[in-house]
Amino acid sequence: MREEVSGESPTLGQLGEFAVIDRLVRGRVQPDAVLLGPGDDAAVVSAGDGRSVVSTDMLVAGRHFRLDWSTPHDVGRKAIAQNAADIEAMGGRATAFVVGFGAPADTPTADADALVDGMWDEAARVGAGIVGGDLVSAPLWVLSVAVLGDLGGRAPVLRSGAKPGAVLAVAGELGRSAAGYWLWRNEISGFDQLRARHLVPEPPYGQGAAAAAAGAQAMIDVSDGLIADLRHVADASGVGIDLSSAALAPDRDALSAAAAATQADPWSWVLGGGEDHALVACFAGAVPSGWRVIGRVLDGPARVLVDGAAWQGYAGWESFEG
């Protein structure tokens, strides 16, 4: 649980919008790709090869994070990481972020400071900057993040390029965030790494570009669940995908103690748990360093199998489900 901010930190309402914005952007150092940062009506960001990869995502308090579990710094890191992972999944690298933040007027500015510090800490991991945004009054915390990315002269890696005969490989770990969620939800202490991974994902930065350079046919990040996200690839490519439980056993084994503590099935976390933001890609040949083979691509129809059979368990997150 996070500690309450102590002292006499003024609230957002007491300082006012423009004073808060000035406080949040003052003294930040932008990367070379940012030609003009915050301060004007819009920022100017260079596009290295004449194209920009663009994505956006939202986080809502109580739905995507809980402030009794996460610190504001954690929330800031998570907001940036999940957007950067989308750029990685296209074979690119994030260069700049634009952030909209809604919060109650009585929010301490120290919490907003910590949120932005977390954003900058995560953005620095990929060499990106936060170039602008908006601040509004809202009944609860809401973050809307847009990200720009650079493909480095390569073609984007789409979901629609998978071909029968390719191998399926993953960079990063699976099921950790879902395990952490159940530990938090059941108020089970210990398992500090898993609990932390639910609060802040760890995308395999740089591996998207490495996969593109190695000729990846198709790629996606695991945000909703391995099976759910691979179904997008299968549908877009018109292929079948067959996962190997033997190849995924290291992920299951890493979660077995937490599964026993929560009386859960670790396979539901590995195959259906989202928010790890690992990358999954299809390769015609050898996979690059940092990737491990977890399955193969089959002829259509579009479907996702586990050891040749349909998976009957939890398959992933749906935004409008309870």
Side-chain angles (χ1 to χ4, degrees), residues 138-204:
L140 74 172
W141 279 32
V142 178
L143 290 97
S144 178
V145 180
V147 57
L148 303 175
D150 183 9
L151 290 169
R154 296 177 297 271
V157 183
L158 309 181
R159 300 175 179 182
S160 55
K163 301 290 190 294
V167 297
L168 182 77
V170 65
E173 297 173 326
L174 299 166
R176 272 57 170 185
S177 178
Y181 170 78
W182 280 100
L183 291 164
W184 280 104
R185 179 172 173 172
N186 289 282
E187 299 181 348
I188 296 174
S189 60
F191 303 100
D192 290 347
Q193 289 186 335
L194 292 178
R195 286 158 58 92
R197 285 289 289 276
H198 176 64
L199 306 182
V200 181
E202 296 181 7

Side-chain angles (χ1 to χ4, degrees), residues 40-232:
D40 283 86
D41 289 328
V44 180
V45 180
S46 66
D49 67 357
R51 301 168 297 171
S52 290
V53 194
V54 182
S55 185
T56 189
D57 213 341
M58 294 185 69
L59 294 90
V60 178
R63 184 65 172 171
H64 303 103
F65 62 90
R66 286 178 49 165
L67 285 171
D68 57 337
W69 295 357
S70 300
T71 66
H73 191 276
D74 291 335
V75 176
R77 286 193 59 194
K78 179 177 182 176
I80 294 301
Q82 66 182 43
N83 279 270
D86 286 336
I87 302 301
E88 291 278 335
M90 299 297 290
R93 178 184 66 84
T95 56
F97 297 87
V98 178
V99 180
F101 176 43
D106 62 357
T107 299
T109 54
D111 281 7
D113 288 342
L115 174 77
V116 173
D117 285 344
M119 291 180 178
W120 274 97
D121 285 352
E122 194 67 24
R125 296 169 189 262
V126 292
I130 299 169
V131 301
D134 194 17
L135 176 67
V136 299
S137 177
L140 74 172
W141 279 32
V142 178
L143 290 97
S144 178
V145 180
V147 57
L148 303 175
D150 183 9
L151 290 169
R154 296 177 297 271
V157 183
L158 309 181
R159 300 175 179 182
S160 55
K163 301 290 190 294
V167 297
L168 182 77
V170 65
E173 297 173 326
L174 299 166
R176 272 57 170 185
S177 178
Y181 170 78
W182 280 100
L183 291 164
W184 280 104
R185 179 172 173 172
N186 289 282
E187 299 181 348
I188 296 174
S189 60
F191 303 100
D192 290 347
Q193 289 186 335
L194 292 178
R195 286 158 58 92
R197 285 289 289 276
H198 176 64
L199 306 182
V200 181
E202 296 181 7
Y205 293 134
Q207 288 295 349
Q217 297 174 342
M219 185 158 48
I220 195 168
D221 84 301
V222 182
S223 57
D224 295 329
L226 182 62
I227 288 179
D229 287 316
L230 285 177
R231 184 60 197 239
H232 297 315

Side-chain angles (χ1 to χ4, degrees), residues 244-254 267 292:
S244 165
S245 62
L248 291 167
D251 292 294
R252 177 206 59 197
D253 293 345
W267 281 118
R292 55 192 171 98

